[in-house]
Amino acid sequence: MSGFVPGLELSRAYYADVVAPLVADIPHSAALIGPGSEVLAFDTQRSADHDWGPRVLLFVPPGAAAETEAAVEAGLPSIFCGYPTVFAQHGQVRHGVRVAELGGWLTSRLGFDPRGPITPLDWLSAPWQALAEVTCGEVFHDGLGELNRVRAALRWYPDDLWRYVLACQWQRIGQEESFPGRCAEVGDELGSATLGGRLVREVMRLALLQRRRYPPYAKWLGSALARLPGAAELGEALGAALAARTWRDREAALSAAYERLAAVHNRIALTGPVETSVRPFHDRPFQVIDGGRLAEALLESIGDPQVRALALCGSVDQMCDSVEILTHPARARAVTAAVLTLQPAAA
């Protein structure tokens, strides 16, 4: 990794030293946001083998794209800080300066234009990865005066929707938390371990949601969790759950993780205090946190009756994990609208 320049640092310098002088006479905003591990600051030397290099996204007024692209292409060097400025990007070899109009770009990433009112359907149909890509990275220059405002508006869910998404995440845990023990009880340790892994993922996502972080997609989920302040002990418990060879060890590790997140629930105080200890699952010998009771407490704290009445399905990430849906905003929006019966025009 010696000598590696993180992509965000590289692109910041690229804009300041090269791109900004080329477009100084054109009103614009400039940023590194959108897809790419460097936007979430997860890139390493390995990232440089594809879709990586000095990149800048330029937003310009309607009708200014052609002029901007011509100015950029006329002045870009072939090398910047030792990196080629023309490189493969998603199957196409080209330079790393993209020009777009803000509204169209946002709609292509999120499925809606957040410069206007943001509806519950907008929030819940936008995948967490897409929201992270728009709100992370860095704005180098906001000459159009809209980009920083949009990013601030999307930084996190409105309070009632945050409570709703958290409730749905606790509900997901509550629906399966007794299953690892039940599988093992009938001799299915493989099934128990598989369910343990599923629950580990749900706990990781819940931990991020509690801290007002959009959980990234699978490749970076563990990396994102590791960056949370105070997450080391939670990570140790989840690692023990994955490494467990018996269901009782698995259950003990998961129980420790559940109790930690229940304690966080009390600290962020979105509801009244809840009991943080695990307890038996009815009259069966399995220890659970009973995620459903935390979901119920969160739902009861929601002030908007329309949000409180939504089915406990949550955001599109909580409904499905199909890449072919989550990476196509129109499909993600259609799935969310259908499941939650939210109307695009009236939500």
Side-chain angles (χ1 to χ4, degrees), residues 53-296:
R55 296 196 299 121
V56 175
L57 182 57
L58 292 176
F59 296 108
V60 297
E67 175 191 4
T68 307
E69 289 171 354
V72 167
E73 291 180 2
L76 290 181
S78 59
I79 299 291
F80 181 75
C81 291
Y83 294 94
T85 62
V86 174
F87 51 96
Q89 301 172 66
H90 305 288
Q92 181 184 12
V93 177
R94 54 153 295 151
H95 64 75
V97 181
R98 296 292 178 115
V99 180
E101 294 178 16
L102 182 58
W105 186 87
L106 288 166
T107 300
S108 74
R109 302 304 306 166
L110 300 170
F112 65 96
D113 186 344
R115 294 178 301 175
I118 307 174
T119 70
L121 176 59
D122 295 334
W123 279 112
L124 296 175
S125 65
W128 291 328
Q129 177 69 25
L131 288 165
E133 289 173 351
V134 173
T135 56
C136 292
E138 184 176 322
V139 176
F140 307 136
H141 173 67
D142 193 17
L144 301 184
E146 293 184 301
L147 187 53
N148 283 325
R149 179 174 59 82
V150 163
R151 281 161 52 88
L154 294 172
R155 192 71 63 192
W156 195 244
Y157 293 109
D159 276 356
D160 276 349
L161 283 173
W162 183 24
R163 287 171 162 83
Y164 169 72
V165 170
L166 286 172
C168 294
Q169 196 62 21
W170 276 114
Q171 182 79 345
R172 288 177 65 88
I173 291 170
Q175 288 167 342
E176 294 190 347
E177 57 184 327
S178 69
F179 291 176
R182 180 59 177 142
C183 286
E185 193 177 52
V186 297
D188 182 11
E189 274 292 347
L190 178 60
S192 175
T194 299
L195 281 159
R198 283 170 57 93
L199 286 162
V200 165
R201 185 184 79 152
E202 301 309 331
V203 166
M204 293 168 72
R205 295 167 108 185
L206 176 57
L208 288 160
L209 291 168
Q210 286 181 324
R211 300 293 189 90
R212 300 167 64 95
R213 307 285 201 279
Y214 295 118
Y217 77 120
K219 182 166 65 170
W220 302 123
L221 185 58
S223 297
L225 181 71
R227 291 183 179 179
L228 284 182
E233 292 183 349
L234 176 62
E236 289 176 5
L238 297 177
L242 292 173
R245 304 292 296 185
T246 69
W247 77 268
R248 291 191 182 279
D249 289 342
R250 188 172 301 117
E251 179 184 85
L254 285 169
S255 293
Y258 299 151
E259 290 180 344
R260 287 192 172 279
L261 292 195
V264 173
H265 172 93
N266 283 343
R267 286 201 297 274
I268 60 179
L270 294 178
T271 75
V274 300
E275 173 56 50
T276 61
S277 300
V278 294
R279 70 283 316 279
F281 180 68
H282 302 296
D283 59 353
R284 295 185 175 186
F286 313 128
Q287 294 294 300
V288 298
I289 196 68
D290 188 5
R293 68 188 175 88
L294 285 102
E296 183 177 349

Side-chain angles (χ1 to χ4, degrees), residues 16-29:
D17 295 349
V18 175
V19 179
L22 296 176
V23 296
D25 296 331
I26 302 172
H28 68 278
S29 294

Side-chain angles (χ1 to χ4, degrees), residues 33-47:
I33 58 176
S37 56
E38 64 269 47
V39 171
L40 303 186
F42 291 134
D43 57 325
T44 67
Q45 183 66 55
R46 178 70 65 197
S47 308

